[in-house]
Amino acid sequence: MVVEAFSEAEARTYAKKFLGYSEGQFKISTVQEPVYQFWGTIKKKGKYNIILINNGDLKKNTKEMEDCKKGYVEIKDGKLNIYKPHDCRRYPSIIANDPNIIVYVNGEIRKNVIILNDKDKVEFKTKEVQASSHIYLELSEDKMKAVLYIKKEEGRVYCVKDVEKSNTTITVESYFKTILPEEVTLDSCLELIRKSNIKEEFINKDEIIKLIQLPAGGSAVVAKGIYPTPAMDTEIRYYFNVTEESEGEDNIVVQIGDVLAEKIKEAIPGIDGEDVTGAPIKAADPEESFFKPGSGTMYIEGHDRIVATINGRPKLVKGELRVIPLLVIHGDVNKDTGDIFFNGDVVIEGNIMDNMKVTAHGKINITGSVYNAVLFADEDILIGGTVMGGNVIAGLNMVNCFFNIPLLEKMVHVMNQIKEEIEKKEISEPMDTYAYDAVQGVIRVNVIEIEKTLHLQSDSDAVILRRLLNEIKDKFYSYKAIIRKDVKQIQLLRDELTYYIERKKEISTRHANVQLQYAQSTVIQACGTIIITGLGSYQSCLYAKEILYKRPTSSVKGGTLVAQKSIKAGEIGSPSGIHTNCRILNKDGKVFARYYNGTIVTIGDKVKIITKEQIS
């Protein structure tokens, strides 16, 4: 190995100090003598060859001499040691990317690759994560449970890993020592629970201890309230099929003395409970089912049984047991029997002939057909045959419901406007003539429209409507002007109209059906469903919540069908273009049928005129 020195002695010292050779392991030969010029003021080193006496050791020492010209670093006990020789050919370096160690070089934070020399001051600052234990309590929304949560998190102290001496780049890496969290005690948990006003007797200490012993913590229900004991409702056994809708079994007939229902068990009150704070929770009261006899029934054996006192159809109405009287006509209803008015169900084992009238406050069941007659029932009407002419109403006059009630509501609105307008004026000051003429015009138009439907009303409805319309005419047709003293009379009339409207709307919630095979030149109204089981209808007017022609081959030829929800039929109209009008009042209603030319379909406000065969 050739080294530069001012003398052979200096070269020999270099071999011993930096190459680690001992005397006798090497010899030195001069390659180039040192030069001294200008009386020694300028000196130039000479070159000396250091030769190992053993060839193997020579190679080793040659490498070590080369390495000694490179800097090195090491990390020991968390500190960085740096060496840079005076004749440096490679500076020492480190890589600092560990997120848990901050490296300061000469007071500044440094990252990534850092090249160093022996004058740099390098310091490490490691992160520390504190251990923690948290406890908190949550009550359920109904305060019937208290849940204790314990959250334990271990801490960490990060340290710098030692790295052996190296003259290549080293990486600064961390390792950590675990810090255990502080132990949670039973007393600290109980203190927290008591601060939340949890009743002492509801606290479950065993559950708290189990939770404390979990290494990572968790949650546990540590207190439970007492739920109320449910009440026992009255138990009633009915001896005929009955639903909440208050209807009895359609075709059953009971005899005098038949037991209709009995009370099996009296209601038993519930027991109040407590939430975890000790606040009372009231048990729901038992449902005292109505157990009351109505018309055609009575108590027997105290108040535990109800029996029939007449023959008829059992019916439950708002908890009251009734027996609807039954009238059976063995044969046709004609001039010999006279018109029928019965406060119950009517069964006709025959036909109803021309110009006859049957009124029932229950159901009407006809085994035969109806010819140019008037039928009115509070409930269902079942016709085994056909209806040829006449008027059939089940439950409610739907013309009144669909058309007249909205017109009456408009008139009530107008009367309210008149009242508000007059009350703004002086006592003798009349309503503005132009405004009054406009109001009077609206009322006149509505009165005319209602009068057109009177022939379709039942006798009782027709009488009431005529009286109301006459009072409206009396108040609004005769006056040339309205002053404040007239307001009271208008208000009385408005209140009477409002009562009539509300009563009809209440009745419209009933569900009464009409069923028949075929209708011709007939008006049929039902506040439920009109069901036609046979061929269909011809030039008839049907008004119902729903209209159903059961046969896929049924046909509707001519007339008007008005339904609140839907119409379902086989064919509507005819190939010859007979005029047929279908109307659905609900905007989202449907008509399911095959249309022919001449059919007008109205759904909500949308009108569609059929000009060719079409399927809906």
Side-chain angles (χ1 to χ4, degrees):
M1 174 184 231
V2 177
V3 298
E4 293 182 347
F6 287 108
S7 65
E8 184 180 327
E10 184 179 348
R12 189 175 294 278
T13 301
Y14 182 89
K16 291 178 181 180
K17 183 175 181 180
F18 295 106
L19 299 181
Y21 297 163
S22 60
E23 196 69 42
Q25 287 183 319
F26 65 93
K27 62 182 181 178
I28 294 176
S29 64
T30 301
V31 177
Q32 183 179 333
E33 292 285 346
V35 178
Y36 298 90
Q37 296 178 348
F38 301 103
W39 302 283
T41 57
I42 296 177
K43 299 179 181 180
K44 184 176 181 182
K45 292 180 179 180
K47 295 182 179 179
Y48 299 91
N49 189 13
I50 300 172
I51 303 169
L52 280 172
I53 294 173
N54 186 311
N55 288 336
D57 291 339
L58 176 62
K59 292 180 180 179
K60 175 183 175 184
N61 288 323
T62 301
K63 182 178 184 303
E64 288 178 354
M65 288 178 65
E66 291 296 327
D67 289 344
C68 285
K69 293 183 180 181
K70 302 175 184 177
Y72 71 82
V73 288
E74 68 174 345
I75 299 175
K76 189 172 183 180
D77 298 330
K79 292 185 179 181
L80 185 73
N81 298 318
I82 306 170
Y83 169 74
K84 183 189 80 67
H86 68 280
D87 188 16
C88 183
R89 295 185 182 178
R90 180 188 293 165
Y91 283 84
S93 60
I94 62 173
I95 296 174
N97 284 326
D98 194 309
N100 300 309
I101 303 173
I102 302 174
V103 179
Y104 291 87
V105 178
N106 302 322
E108 293 183 0
I109 297 175
R110 299 286 298 276
K111 292 182 178 181
N112 301 321
V113 177
I114 306 169
I115 299 174
L116 303 167
N117 63 55
D118 53 359
K119 294 180 181 178
D120 288 329
K121 182 181 179 182
V122 179
E123 295 177 302
F124 298 129
K125 185 176 181 181
T126 56
K127 291 184 179 180
E128 183 175 339
V129 178
Q130 296 293 327
S132 63
S133 296
H134 301 286
I135 59 173
Y136 59 97
L137 189 74
E138 282 187 359
L139 300 186
S140 61
E141 189 173 346
D142 59 2
K143 294 186 178 181
M144 294 304 292
K145 290 192 297 186
V147 181
L148 182 66
Y149 294 86
I150 296 179
K151 188 176 181 182
K152 298 178 183 179
E153 293 183 349
E154 294 179 342
R156 289 181 176 184
V157 175
Y158 288 92
C159 305
V160 181
K161 287 182 179 179
D162 285 352
V163 181
E164 293 182 354
K165 184 190 296 184
S166 174
N167 55 23
T168 60
T169 302
I170 67 171
T171 301
V172 180
E173 294 180 318
S174 65
Y175 68 96
F176 65 85
K177 298 176 181 177
T178 300
I179 303 173
L180 296 177
E182 183 181 353
E183 289 294 329
V184 176
T185 65
L186 175 62
D187 288 341
S188 63
C189 294
L190 290 174
E191 182 182 357
L192 175 64
I193 293 170
R194 286 164 182 156
K195 281 181 180 178
S196 299
N197 298 318
I198 305 300
K199 194 172 180 180
E200 191 72 28
E201 65 186 75
F202 292 154
I203 299 174
N204 188 333
K205 292 182 181 179
D206 291 339
E207 288 297 322
I208 300 173
I209 293 170
K210 288 179 185 178
L211 179 60
I212 290 172
Q213 292 172 347
L214 294 176
S219 64
V221 177
V222 295
K224 293 181 181 179
I226 300 174
Y227 283 94
T229 302
M232 301 291 289
D233 296 337
T234 305
E235 186 177 338
I236 297 174
R237 180 184 297 162
Y238 294 95
Y239 291 96
F240 60 96
N241 290 341
V242 65
T243 69
E244 295 296 330
E245 295 293 325
S246 81
E247 291 297 324
E249 188 174 326
D250 285 348
N251 299 317
I252 190 172
V253 175
V254 297
Q255 306 295 320
I256 297 173
D258 283 351
V259 178
L260 304 179
E262 66 176 314
K263 189 182 292 186
I264 303 299
K265 188 184 296 182
E266 294 284 355
I268 301 174
I271 301 173
D272 293 346
E274 284 183 89
D275 66 23
V276 292
T277 67
I281 302 174
K282 185 172 176 55
D285 292 329
E287 185 175 333
E288 284 281 359
S289 299
F290 287 102
F291 190 69
K292 181 180 178 182
S295 59
T297 65
M298 63 174 285
Y299 284 126
I300 196 169
E301 295 184 12
H303 288 73
D304 292 337
R305 285 187 165 195
I306 296 177
V307 299
T309 58
I310 61 173
N311 300 335
R313 174 171 56 91
K315 183 177 181 182
L316 183 65
V317 181
K318 296 179 180 178
E320 184 180 88
L321 263 176
R322 303 174 185 175
V323 173
I324 307 302
L326 176 65
L327 174 65
V328 180
I329 306 295
H330 300 287
D332 296 341
V333 174
N334 50 32
K335 291 182 180 179
D336 293 335
T337 61
D339 294 335
I340 305 294
F341 181 90
F342 188 67
N343 186 24
D345 294 347
V346 175
V347 174
I348 299 169
E349 297 175 344
N351 304 314
I352 302 179
M353 306 309 291
D354 292 346
N355 302 317
M356 302 307 297
K357 183 183 293 185
V358 177
T359 303
H361 287 304
K363 300 180 179 183
I364 297 176
N365 191 331
I366 305 162
T367 60
S369 297
V370 178
Y371 301 98
N372 294 306
V374 175
L375 306 182
F376 181 83
D378 285 345
E379 300 180 40
D380 297 345
I381 297 177
L382 177 61
I383 302 168
T386 63
V387 180
M388 308 294 286
N391 195 354
V392 177
I393 301 174
L396 180 69
N397 187 300
M398 298 308 287
V399 171
N400 211 10
C401 181
F402 289 163
F403 304 110
N404 292 346
I405 295 303
L407 295 176
L408 291 172
E409 286 178 325
K410 286 182 182 178
M411 287 194 274
V412 168
H413 179 68
V414 167
M415 291 176 192
N416 286 330
Q417 288 181 317
I418 293 172
K419 178 177 177 294
E420 291 172 5
E421 184 68 27
I422 290 297
E423 286 177 344
K424 296 177 184 177
K425 298 182 178 295
E426 298 295 330
I427 292 177
S428 59
E429 184 182 1
M431 184 177 178
D432 178 78
T433 304
Y434 176 78
Y436 180 66
D437 288 345
V439 164
Q440 197 179 53
V442 171
I443 290 176
R444 283 179 180 272
V445 169
N446 290 338
V447 167
I448 291 170
E449 290 300 317
I450 293 173
E451 285 180 331
K452 291 178 181 178
T453 70
L454 291 178
H455 70 286
L456 297 174
Q457 307 292 331
S458 64
D459 292 345
S460 58
D461 272 332
V463 169
I464 294 171
L465 280 172
R466 282 195 182 93
R467 180 179 60 79
L468 290 173
L469 294 178
N470 287 336
E471 288 185 28
I472 292 169
K473 291 177 182 179
D474 182 56
K475 296 292 186 294
F476 291 96
Y477 285 20
S478 58
Y479 285 131
K480 297 298 181 184
I482 295 178
I483 58 178
R484 189 179 294 182
K485 70 176 184 178
D486 304 315
V487 170
K488 187 173 182 180
Q489 295 298 320
I490 293 172
Q491 188 171 335
L492 291 172
L493 177 56
R494 180 204 64 185
D495 292 344
E496 191 173 2
L497 287 174
T498 301
Y499 175 78
Y500 179 79
I501 291 167
E502 290 176 350
R503 174 63 180 151
K504 290 301 176 184
K505 284 186 174 181
E506 181 184 349
I507 296 173
S508 70
T509 60
R510 295 176 182 171
H511 193 86
N513 301 329
V514 174
Q515 181 171 311
L516 65 153
Q517 287 193 20
Y518 178 79
Q520 179 175 318
S521 303
T522 306
V523 177
I524 302 175
Q525 304 178 60
C527 63
T529 305
I530 295 175
I531 304 167
I532 296 182
T533 60
L535 296 176
S537 63
Y538 178 77
Q539 295 293 9
S540 294
C541 297
L542 278 59
Y543 305 88
K545 292 176 182 175
E546 295 181 286
I547 299 174
L548 171 63
Y549 291 77
K550 296 194 77 170
R551 283 191 185 180
T553 57
S554 63
S555 64
V556 182
K557 296 180 180 178
T560 299
L561 308 184
V562 179
Q564 192 173 42
K565 299 176 183 177
S566 66
I567 297 171
K568 185 175 181 180
E571 299 174 349
I572 298 179
S574 70
S576 62
I578 189 169
H579 178 76
T580 309
N581 192 352
C582 293
R583 181 174 179 183
I584 303 292
L585 300 179
N586 289 357
K587 64 180 180 181
D588 55 350
K590 299 282 186 182
V591 177
F592 305 94
R594 183 170 65 254
Y595 307 127
Y596 282 105
N597 179 30
T599 302
I600 300 174
V601 179
T602 305
I603 298 178
D605 298 328
K606 297 181 180 180
V607 180
K608 185 177 183 180
I609 300 175
I610 307 301
T611 56
K612 60 181 181 179
E613 186 176 345
Q614 182 176 325
I615 297 175
S616 173

